[in-house]
Amino acid sequence: MPGAYSALGSVFELLNDDCGYDSWSQYLLHKIAGLLPAASPKVPLCGVDIGCGNGYFTRAFSKAGYSMTGMDISGEMLSKAQDISLKEGIRARYIQGDIASFRLPAKQDFALAINDCLNYVPPEKLHAAFSHVAGALRKGAPFIFDITAPEALMEQDRQVYMDDRPSVTCIWYSEAQEGNKAIVTDVTVFSKAPDGRYARRDERQTRYMHTDGDILDALASCGFSAIEDKLPDEVAGKRLNYICTKL
């Protein structure tokens, strides 16, 4: 079965339109602005949005005057992100990459990894992921990310969900595996074509359960200081949010 976001990549942002994107982006813009030095009007501060998906936060920061790179492991996600940015007149760079192995040509002023990006990283690759983020940042640069807490992921065990819309229908079934250390989700997407017929695509996603201690230990070993922060009520749920600084 194809990997994560091969089927959902082109409709991800549409199907997540109730997740509080606007409040979330305003929160992130406020936090980053408070952690960065004042930018030169001629040289905008640059940031990388890791696991950017269809690019909502990349676009939000670009509109606010930052020079943004959106990165995702899914080519389908990036194709849609580029398409939306072009339609909105947003100048952002999109690249395909894995948080546990990526390299960037220049040091960034900040990094984001929003909406469960780190839940897709296996426990044995957490150190590599944070190490590569650290390698992409200048000294003192902030890094903001979140994870869904283990207990919240476990609530999805053996649950079926469906989202039915005029242009797309999505059905997914989740089950705990690997000794209750991961949630594996099988997804089926029916997308409506211009001729009225529906095309079916399937994919499988695996999200891993990271404890707060696991996260903080891995961050410290990679040269980050970190605090936990409260997200806006519209997006908080059972989500752990981290604001880090590269030492």
Side-chain angles (χ1 to χ4, degrees):
M1 183 176 289
Y5 297 106
S6 56
L8 278 170
S10 64
V11 293
F12 177 78
E13 198 168 293
L14 170 66
L15 294 175
N16 281 273
D17 58 5
D18 61 347
C19 78
Y21 273 130
D22 184 61
S23 295
W24 213 341
S25 62
Q26 292 306 310
Y27 161 83
L28 292 168
L29 286 164
H30 174 74
K31 289 293 183 181
I32 288 295
L35 293 166
L36 290 176
S40 162
K42 294 184 179 180
V43 184
L45 296 170
C46 60
V48 57
D49 181 11
I50 303 167
C52 68
N54 291 160
Y56 190 97
F57 300 115
T58 307
R59 300 194 308 275
F61 273 80
S62 295
K63 291 174 184 176
Y66 296 96
S67 176
M68 292 301 297
T69 297
M71 186 185 82
D72 203 280
I73 201 169
S74 165
E76 289 83 356
M77 283 284 212
L78 293 171
S79 178
K80 186 66 174 181
Q82 185 69 63
D83 182 55
I84 297 173
S85 289
L86 287 173
K87 289 179 179 178
E88 294 185 1
I90 301 297
R91 298 185 64 182
R93 177 187 181 213
Y94 291 100
I95 61 172
Q96 191 165 14
D98 183 339
I99 190 174
S101 60
F102 77 102
R103 294 283 193 279
L104 294 177
K107 296 290 186 182
Q108 303 293 297
D109 294 305
F110 65 94
L112 310 170
I114 307 303
N115 203 4
D116 286 3
C117 175
L118 269 298
N119 284 109
Y120 289 90
V121 178
E124 66 272 14
K125 291 187 176 182
L126 267 185
H127 184 277
F130 291 141
S131 178
H132 280 85
V133 175
L137 294 173
R138 63 168 177 79
K139 185 177 180 180
F143 170 39
I144 300 180
F145 70 95
D146 62 83
I147 63 169
T148 294
E151 61 270 21
L153 280 179
M154 276 301 298
E155 289 176 1
Q156 301 176 29
D157 183 31
R158 300 187 182 184
Q159 297 295 315
V160 177
Y161 299 90
M162 183 175 73
D163 193 331
D164 186 23
R165 306 188 184 214
S167 62
V168 61
T169 297
C170 180
I171 304 168
W172 56 99
Y173 171 74
S174 299
E175 186 173 312
Q177 296 186 14
E178 300 185 26
N180 289 343
K181 294 182 179 180
I183 288 287
V184 176
T185 303
D186 289 324
V187 183
T188 299
V189 178
F190 296 94
S191 299
K192 190 175 184 179
D195 62 6
R197 293 185 295 178
Y198 284 82
R200 172 177 172 166
R201 297 188 69 185
D202 300 283
E203 68 177 57
R204 174 167 289 176
Q205 301 181 8
T206 302
R207 289 166 295 163
Y208 298 91
M209 301 184 192
H210 304 307
T211 67
D212 183 53
D214 293 337
I215 293 291
L216 293 175
D217 287 347
L219 285 168
S221 70
C222 296
F224 283 104
S225 66
I227 61 169
E228 292 181 53
D229 194 62
K230 186 178 184 298
L231 284 163
D233 291 341
E234 297 94 322
V235 296
K238 294 183 179 178
R239 191 175 292 277
L240 302 177
N241 191 58
Y242 298 87
I243 298 178
C244 312
T245 302
K246 180 183 174 180
L247 300 174

